[in-house]
């Protein structure tokens, strides 16, 4: 039994090929933050016949079950990642859209300190930084 088979069963979801394939794609390297369209393209490359509507439905079900997190970054495109217990923040290339995760203990401590100074007990937060990735900085400026 794979890790995702067990997680789907624990979440009360039936183990189906589309669910397993989508979770597998989201757990792989570069596409840890993928849109439904990104997932569809990958599935097509592997000759998998899973429609976009099914992908959206599976992503929504997995999000509701706590297996997947949805992020709506600036630019409007929703991306999804496997919901893992550890907190992290994101940095996004404004040109190509690549998303990278990062964690910084100093930033985390400072955010808690700011909340405390404002009279708040922080329940949750997210930080998103925007910039140009190394690859895009090498390209000529857009017009």
């Amino acid at each position: 039994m794979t890790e995702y088979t067990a997680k789907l069963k624990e979440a009360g979801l039936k183990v189906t090929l589309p669910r397993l394939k989508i979770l597998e794609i989201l757990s792989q390297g570069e596409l840890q933050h993928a849109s439904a369209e990104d997932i569809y393209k990958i599935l097509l490359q592997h000759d998998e016949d899973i429609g976009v509507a099914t992908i959206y439905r599976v992503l929504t079900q997995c999000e509701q079950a706590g297996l997947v997190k949805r992020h709506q970054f600036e630019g409007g495109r929703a991306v999804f990642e496997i919901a893992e217990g550890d907190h992290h923040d994101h940095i996004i290339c404004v040109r190509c859209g690549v998303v990278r995760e990062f964690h910084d203990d100093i930033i985390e401590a400072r955010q808690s300190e700011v909340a405390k100074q404002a009279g708040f007990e922080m329940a949750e937060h997210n930080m998103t930084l925007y910039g140009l990735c190394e690859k895009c900085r090498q390209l000529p400026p857009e017009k």
Side-chain angles (χ1 to χ4, degrees), residues 59-74:
L59 288 169
T60 299
Q61 292 165 343
C62 288
E63 179 187 15
Q64 291 170 345
L67 299 173
V68 168
K69 287 176 92 174
R70 176 190 310 255
H71 295 285
Q72 194 82 36
F73 298 123
E74 287 183 29

Side-chain angles (χ1 to χ4, degrees), residues 68-98:
V68 168
K69 287 176 92 174
R70 176 190 310 255
H71 295 285
Q72 194 82 36
F73 298 123
E74 287 183 29
R77 188 175 86 132
V79 295
F80 299 84
E81 69 177 330
I82 297 293
E84 299 185 310
D86 60 337
H87 170 76
H88 59 267
D89 295 303
H90 298 93
I91 186 164
I92 302 167
C93 180
V94 295
R95 186 180 246 184
C96 71
V98 69

